[in-house]
Amino acid sequence: MIYGGDGLARLPADDRGRGKAVFVPFVLAAEKIEASLTEQKPGFARATADSILEPSPHRIQPGCQYFTRCGGCHYQHASYEHQLEIKKEILRESLRRTAKLDLPFDIKVHPSPPWNYRNRSRLQVQVSPAFTAGYFKLASHELLAVEECPISSPLINRAIACLWQSGRAGKVPEGVREVEFFANADDTQLLVDVACAGEARRSAVRVWAEELHAALPEIAGVVAFREANPGDRKAGAKEILVAVGAAHLTYQTQRAAYRVSPGSFFQTNRHLTDELVKIVTEGQSGQLALDLYAGAGLFSTALASDFHHVVSVESSQTSSADLSYNRSSNGEAVQATTEQYLARENTGRVGKGAVLLHIPNKPDLAVVDPPRSGLGERVARLLSTLGAPRVIYVSCDPATLARDLVPLLAAGYRVEQVHLVDLFPQTYHLESVVHLVR
């Protein structure tokens, strides 16, 4: 099994050497299958399994009627215990292959309830010629109609049913392209984020948003955005088209309450948020902590109780606004990219308005939680130069994690702990936390 959800097989060897790699979805290791090739490339091929001749003992019946057609899940045919084993081995192998890191200790695995765990789900919407809401089909941008999602929270599933009821009644206006549902920690309130095309009419969207808000009492607010024009000079700029009810949710964790607005980054597993915070922050203390790629401040707020000063860096305008609101009295929120901030680690000017930044001392701890693209070589080198004795790397992609560890290990860091935090059961996505010291 390889990262991405596929099984790796090989065609028979030929006069050019070892047989070509073949990637096959929805299989398990050591199964004997009959498959059809669907794509041939110079270096690899793709295939689909026509029949499972000798199934794995870990194979089970999938829990969703859309599985194998929907592109959202990849492992529903495997027992949950085996899913964890697959992910653990993929993480270990990625570290070994790319970072040349043979762990002298076991990876600590933190499981999740395997169903109804998502607090955020985004559906694609098609209004005409007939209403459809759902997810993209596997490996395509073709829309698959989905009326329930077993990995999403019960409240989100009720909201999906409400959306379909509205669509079938012809109430969803033209121009609605996406609807995202975000539920609070105890699944009692919901924020609806609607993405609209340029031709959407404000009055029609407002009438529909008000009806949706009234149809499900748990909906705290509906915010609709109009997509930016391609020629807009502000990259990613979005116009608020309509706002009905609350413009944000309060997400309560064991350590703090967070304001989260539409478009802000926040963890999506409603069961493991506190566990993740504990893994990252427990036992950490000192004068100065940096929280890089801070989002709405999930880790920053927890760190603030054990550090004299916490600097949180976030580039997104929406997340930065929530970060500033959520920060503690001893916290400092900086809107900048991590690269900009680290490049001016002593004194520099960052962002609009030429805000003067200063890191008063060498940080005792740096927490990084980058997107799937990882840190990249320049940020990893800047982070190494910063000289924090402890770095905690929160990763959602083992390949970029392993790549980024190479310069950190070369700079004298060593890996002290590795955690697999299963924020995304039934999917190949893999969250990990690596503790580094030097």
Side-chain angles (χ1 to χ4, degrees):
M1 300 302 293
I2 60 172
Y3 185 67
D6 290 342
L8 171 63
R10 288 195 177 273
L11 293 175
D14 55 25
D15 55 2
R16 288 175 290 181
R18 189 165 68 155
K20 186 185 292 185
V22 184
F23 303 115
V24 193
F26 311 122
V27 295
L28 294 173
E31 288 187 325
K32 185 177 181 180
I33 69 168
E34 193 170 77
S36 300
L37 291 174
T38 58
E39 184 181 6
Q40 286 263 27
K41 296 286 188 179
F44 67 93
R46 298 191 186 278
T48 56
D50 298 322
S51 60
I52 309 298
L53 304 178
E54 294 178 10
S56 164
H58 304 293
R59 180 173 282 274
I60 63 169
Q61 188 67 26
C64 175
Q65 61 177 314
Y66 306 108
F67 183 62
T68 73
R69 293 182 292 146
C70 173
C73 290
H74 315 89
Y75 288 154
Q76 288 191 24
H77 60 300
S79 69
Y80 184 56
E81 294 72 21
H82 191 54
Q83 292 181 35
L84 295 174
E85 287 300 318
I86 292 170
K87 293 183 180 184
K88 184 178 176 181
E89 183 52 36
I90 286 172
L91 177 58
R92 184 180 290 278
E93 196 273 335
S94 296
L95 297 176
R96 182 188 302 123
R97 184 182 70 254
T98 303
K100 304 297 185 283
L101 184 63
D102 279 306
L103 298 176
F105 49 78
D106 200 21
I107 296 172
K108 299 177 183 178
V109 177
H110 304 263
S112 164
W115 301 102
N116 296 125
Y117 63 84
R118 286 193 66 92
N119 60 24
R120 190 189 298 270
S121 299
R122 177 180 297 178
L123 278 73
Q124 306 299 313
V125 173
Q126 175 184 295
V127 176
S128 59
F131 176 83
T132 306
Y135 302 127
F136 289 129
K137 293 181 180 179
L138 181 70
S140 83
H141 282 85
E142 185 181 348
L143 186 57
L144 174 72
V146 169
E147 298 192 41
E148 62 176 351
C149 179
I151 65 172
S152 297
S153 78
L155 178 55
I156 288 177
N157 273 286
R158 289 171 56 204
I160 292 173
C162 188
L163 174 63
W164 270 94
Q165 185 177 15
S166 176
R168 286 195 172 104
K171 295 181 178 180
V172 180
E174 289 287 344
V176 171
R177 294 287 182 264
E178 293 180 348
V179 175
E180 181 177 88
F181 301 110
F182 176 61
N184 64 354
D186 58 4
D187 209 33
T188 59
Q189 280 195 318
L190 201 66
L191 198 62
V192 184
D193 181 351
V194 182
C196 300
E199 69 269 17
R201 292 174 53 243
R202 189 187 303 269
S203 58
V205 173
R206 176 172 294 280
V207 169
W208 174 66
E210 289 172 346
E211 289 182 353
L212 195 64
H213 184 240
L216 193 63
E218 289 87 350
I219 294 179
V222 180
V223 181
F225 295 91
R226 194 198 302 272
E227 295 171 356
N229 294 324
D232 196 316
R233 286 178 295 179
K234 291 183 179 180
K238 294 192 297 184
E239 173 196 356
I240 295 182
L241 196 63
V242 168
V244 176
H248 60 265
L249 276 187
T250 299
Y251 202 98
Q252 182 70 51
T253 70
Q254 290 177 357
R255 297 288 296 268
Y258 299 84
R259 188 187 82 176
V260 185
S261 303
S264 274
F265 174 76
F266 203 81
Q267 296 295 341
T268 58
N269 187 309
R270 66 196 186 97
H271 301 298
L272 286 186
T273 303
D274 289 309
E275 181 81 358
L276 181 63
V277 171
K278 181 179 178 182
I279 293 165
V280 171
T281 66
E282 189 175 51
Q284 309 299 328
S285 62
Q287 288 296 307
L288 174 64
L290 299 184
D291 184 10
L292 307 176
Y293 312 93
L298 178 65
F299 302 130
S300 302
T301 305
L303 290 168
S305 60
D306 295 304
F307 284 84
H308 183 262
H309 190 64
V310 177
V311 176
S312 309
V313 180
E314 172 57 45
S315 61
S316 160
Q317 184 174 350
T318 304
S319 293
S320 290
D322 285 340
L323 176 63
S324 295
Y325 182 89
N326 295 328
R327 71 178 179 86
S328 302
S329 58
N330 60 335
E332 176 187 352
V334 177
Q335 186 180 347
T337 68
T338 292
E339 182 175 346
Q340 287 172 330
Y341 184 71
L342 293 179
R344 298 157 177 83
E345 61 188 62
N346 293 312
T347 302
R349 295 180 182 277
V350 175
K352 186 177 180 181
V355 179
L356 190 67
L357 302 177
H358 178 63
I359 298 180
N361 300 292
K362 182 174 75 173
D364 300 292
L365 171 71
V367 175
V368 292
D369 185 8
R372 295 193 193 285
S373 55
L375 302 176
E377 184 180 357
R378 176 165 165 76
V379 171
R381 283 192 288 104
L382 289 169
L383 183 61
S384 300
T385 304
L386 194 64
R390 304 188 69 87
V391 172
I392 298 178
Y393 191 140
V394 184
S395 167
C396 56
D397 188 312
T400 56
L401 165 67
R403 178 205 66 197
D404 291 340
L405 285 179
V406 173
L408 292 173
L409 295 173
Y413 285 97
R414 62 179 175 84
V415 175
E416 188 178 57
Q417 300 175 32
V418 177
H419 299 258
L420 168 60
V421 189
D422 196 28
L423 299 186
F424 312 103
Q426 316 304 336
T427 82
Y428 73 78
H429 297 294
L430 195 164
E431 192 87 0
S432 56
V433 179
V434 177
H435 287 237
L436 298 125
V437 297
R438 77 171 180 186

